[in-house]
Amino acid sequence: MAAKREVSGLEAHLGYWLRRVSNQVSHAFRLKVEACGVSVSEWVVLRELYRPEGASPGALAQSLGMTKGAVSKLVGRLEDKGLATRSPSEVDRRQQAVALTANGRALVPRLAHLADANDEEFFGHLPRPVRDELMRVLRELARTHHLDSAPID
Amino acid sequence: MAAKREVSGLEAHLGYWLRRVSNQVSHAFRLKVEACGVSVSEWVVLRELYRPEGASPGALAQSLGMTKGAVSKLVGRLEDKGLATRSPSEVDRRQQAVALTANGRALVPRLAHLADANDEEFFGHLPRPVRDELMRVLRELARTHHLDSAPID
DNA sequence: TGCAATCAGTTTCCGAGGAAACTATCATGA
DNA sequence: TCATGATAGTTTCCTCGGAAACTGATTGCA
């Protein structure tokens, strides 16, 4: 019955380590992509828009797990940089279609290589089975808690 | 030689999933601790200060992997909330000792329980060996890339 | 000594994202 | 048809943390 005396430490929590490692990885990636003039989130949106259909801001927010407000600002920045365009939908004037410009499209493969390199830098030394298991677990966690989480906004 | 055509997707990168899951976990934890009037980072600092010796801002920055500036502001907030105190060191007037107040110390066990609960919520369903392996890998990653990373500021 | 380099901490500026209020559009049904 | 409510996006306000310039104290060395 020493529960009252046991004050768990930071290192006891997976969430703590997750946050630290994630910050390290994202920070390193940020340094890589900023040479291309984009941020980590911008890369994510660009990659998501890479498929031919493009996407609406709402769909982006949904699939990327961020708020509408964040996506709105993100798309605005991409537009300012000449990497994406917004065009109003004709069937429903509330919606809009976001699409890559030629510049934006051309940038994605370069950024994808940087992402590959960053992953390799951080996780390349892990044995393949460990790496696969990590991927599996993270995907499962993302999926599991995405569903039962309160609608992201 | 199709390398040029293969544009890797977001879901192919561990860094992407790490960031998403970490954000989910930290966000959920944030909701829990804000009832106690503190942020996630503040919890981290409070827990680190819980040991009897306290710590200096520089030591906190080092062990928590954040910049001096961030720690300085963090300690300032904790002081404003009456949870910590700054006192100048006598041997070296550049340094200062940060310590918890009685209120701050009393808060730590409560926050630790919330951290336990949050970890349980997200990772409790994982089989014990998977959870242990995840912990092992994350700790190793944090350690490995902490050392060879450019000095954090 | 005394000047330069270093070191601890602070501050300023900036970009980023969440929450929530707000605008414009569309759907529903009384 | 018109009021109500839902929906898509935008904007405002806020907090947060990093980068880098800055202050004051200390060390080292000429």
Side-chain angles (χ1 to χ4, degrees), chain A residues 69-118:
Chain A
V71 170
S72 178
K73 287 177 270 191
L74 223 26
V75 172
R77 270 180 270 152
L78 291 176
E79 216 173 10
D80 291 344
K81 295 178 183 178
L83 301 174
T85 58
R86 273 188 266 229
S87 48
S89 158
E90 283 155 13
V91 299
D92 183 340
R93 274 181 301 179
R94 287 173 300 184
Q95 296 197 66
Q96 51 189 211
V98 184
L100 295 181
T101 63
N103 280 346
R105 180 159 292 275
L107 194 52
V108 170
R110 285 177 53 198
L111 296 172
H113 278 107
L114 295 179
D116 295 340
N118 199 60

Side-chain angles (χ1 to χ4, degrees), chain B residues 29-145:
Chain B
F29 187 47
R30 181 182 152 280
L31 294 180
K32 292 184 177 70
V33 297
E34 78 181 2
C36 296
V38 298
S39 71
V40 174
S41 295
E42 285 163 14
W43 142 251
V44 167
V45 172
L46 289 173
R47 182 60 187 82
E48 194 71 8
L49 289 173
Y50 190 65
R51 56 257 206 66
E53 326 88 73
S56 69
L60 288 172
Q62 177 65 27
S63 63
L64 300 177
M66 47 182 111
T67 61
K68 300 180 302 180
V71 170
S72 176
K73 287 177 268 193
L74 222 26
V75 171
R77 271 180 268 151
L78 291 175
E79 214 173 12
D80 291 344
K81 294 178 183 177
L83 302 174
T85 57
R86 271 189 268 229
S87 47
S89 158
E90 285 155 11
V91 298
D92 183 338
R93 274 180 300 180
R94 286 173 303 183
Q95 295 197 67
Q96 53 189 212
V98 184
L100 294 180
T101 63
N103 280 346
R105 180 158 292 274
L107 193 53
V108 171
R110 286 177 55 199
L111 296 172
H113 278 107
L114 295 179
D116 295 341
N118 199 60
D119 245 47
E120 196 56 29
E121 174 185 334
F122 276 88
F123 308 106
H125 71 286
L126 294 175
R128 180 50 67 179
V130 172
R131 203 166 162 175
D132 290 344
E133 174 73 353
L134 185 54
M135 180 70 89
R136 191 187 66 74
V137 172
L138 288 175
R139 281 177 168 164
E140 184 201 318
L141 286 167
R143 190 175 45 76
T144 303
H145 295 280

